[in-house]
Amino acid sequence: MTEPLFREDAYLTQVEAVLVTLDPRGLVLDRTIFYPQGGGQPGDRGELLFDDGSRVEIVDTLYGPDRANIVHVTAEGTREPTPGAKLIARIDWTLRYRRMRAHTALHLLTAVLPFPVTGGSVGESEGRLDFDSGEASLDKAEIAERLNGLIGRNAPVRSRWISDDELAANPGLVKTMSVKPPTGAGRVRLVEVEGIDLQPCGGTHVALTGEIGQAVVTQIEKKGRINRRVRIALSQNAA
Ligand SMILES: [Zn+2]
């Protein structure tokens, strides 16, 4: 079982850990700050620096089959270290922070466009969501203006846990139809952007919406009779 430290603090950039087991796809640690691919957010990249001086590059991060273990995917041809070895795990922070800003911006986009979400993806300083927006006409400039208004509020972003039963009693919390929150573990993580958005999410977010920086709506694409794909991009300079 890998302890997921990124859940309680998304700003950790490196941590000491121990290699527990080797997986066919990579390395399993006792604890990690590497985010595993899920909920539309890609897995982290980075490096593991072992006590013996060796360095292993991590090209992706994934959940193991039971989601208890987190697998740090190594590049092909990597020499396998010995379980029990101590190391420092360090993520590619530039990449992760861009994803945190884009991911948080998508939460705000669901507040600007309060329609059911059918899909989405987080990139580096950009992202997209698919909405069942019906016959509503969507305007790029208007959406961007409202989105930047929410970013400018510099609202705090917090997470807390609720029980599966509480979530079942409040189905309105689930905006994303295609990605149901993982229930069955007894509890679900709720992410709140104060006064703006509240929904279950396991991803990594910035602490204040002002960190997102200026956003633009780059494209609105028709994906079906009532479905629209909205793409946003962020300026490279975070606040
Ligand atoms: Zn999220």
Side-chain angles (χ1 to χ4, degrees):
M1 164 105 195
T2 311
E3 188 187 349
L5 300 175
F6 52 84
R7 283 245 207 280
E8 301 307 326
D9 186 356
Y11 286 81
L12 294 171
T13 58
Q14 67 172 45
V15 70
E16 289 180 24
V18 175
L19 174 61
V20 178
T21 51
L22 304 174
D23 177 277
R25 296 165 301 173
L27 311 176
V28 177
L29 311 181
D30 63 337
R31 60 211 292 249
T32 194
I33 53 171
F34 281 67
Y35 180 79
Q37 182 194 317
Q41 184 175 334
D44 274 328
R45 300 203 295 255
E47 59 184 0
L48 306 182
L49 305 168
F50 285 87
D51 262 9
D52 66 0
S54 62
R55 174 188 176 277
V56 170
E57 191 185 345
I58 303 303
V59 296
D60 197 2
T61 310
L62 304 167
Y63 278 111
D66 57 359
R67 290 178 74 89
N69 285 338
I70 293 172
V71 180
H72 302 74
V73 180
T74 51
E76 220 166 296
T78 300
R79 185 189 63 87
E80 291 194 332
T82 314
K86 290 183 180 168
L87 59 105
I88 291 171
R90 187 182 287 165
I91 55 170
D92 180 339
W93 173 249
T94 303
L95 175 70
R96 157 73 92 68
Y97 190 55
R98 285 176 180 168
R99 289 172 176 169
M100 280 164 56
R101 290 165 56 217
H103 184 134
T104 311
L106 294 180
H107 278 255
L108 302 186
L109 188 61
T110 68
V112 172
L113 299 172
F115 305 109
V117 175
T118 59
S121 161
V122 175
E124 289 177 50
S125 304
E126 50 95 23
R128 64 169 167 81
L129 285 176
D130 298 339
F131 296 94
D132 271 344
S133 53
E135 299 303 320
S137 74
L138 306 182
D139 179 74
K140 282 200 271 191
E142 189 192 325
I143 294 168
E145 191 186 330
R146 290 168 61 198
L147 190 56
N148 285 311
L150 297 179
I151 291 168
R153 282 198 212 169
N154 208 23
V157 183
R158 300 188 193 92
S159 67
R160 65 175 192 269
W161 296 90
I162 61 165
S163 68
D164 284 358
D165 293 344
E166 280 175 84
L167 182 68
N170 296 280
L173 288 174
V174 183
K175 291 182 179 178
T176 309
M177 292 153 76
S178 64
V179 189
K180 292 278 182 226
T183 57
R187 61 176 197 163
V188 169
R189 184 174 184 251
L190 276 188
V191 171
E192 178 179 27
V193 185
E194 194 179 276
I196 297 171
D197 180 54
L198 177 67
Q199 59 181 297
C201 185
T204 57
H205 311 84
V206 294
L208 293 164
T209 60
E211 293 177 55
I212 294 168
Q214 195 76 10
V216 291
V217 176
T218 50
Q219 193 184 40
I220 297 175
E221 201 182 338
K222 196 169 176 173
K223 298 302 287 180
R225 196 175 57 83
I226 61 164
N227 198 261
R228 300 290 179 276
R229 173 166 292 177
V230 179
R231 291 181 188 275
I232 59 167
L234 307 178
S235 63
Q236 290 299 307
N237 301 319

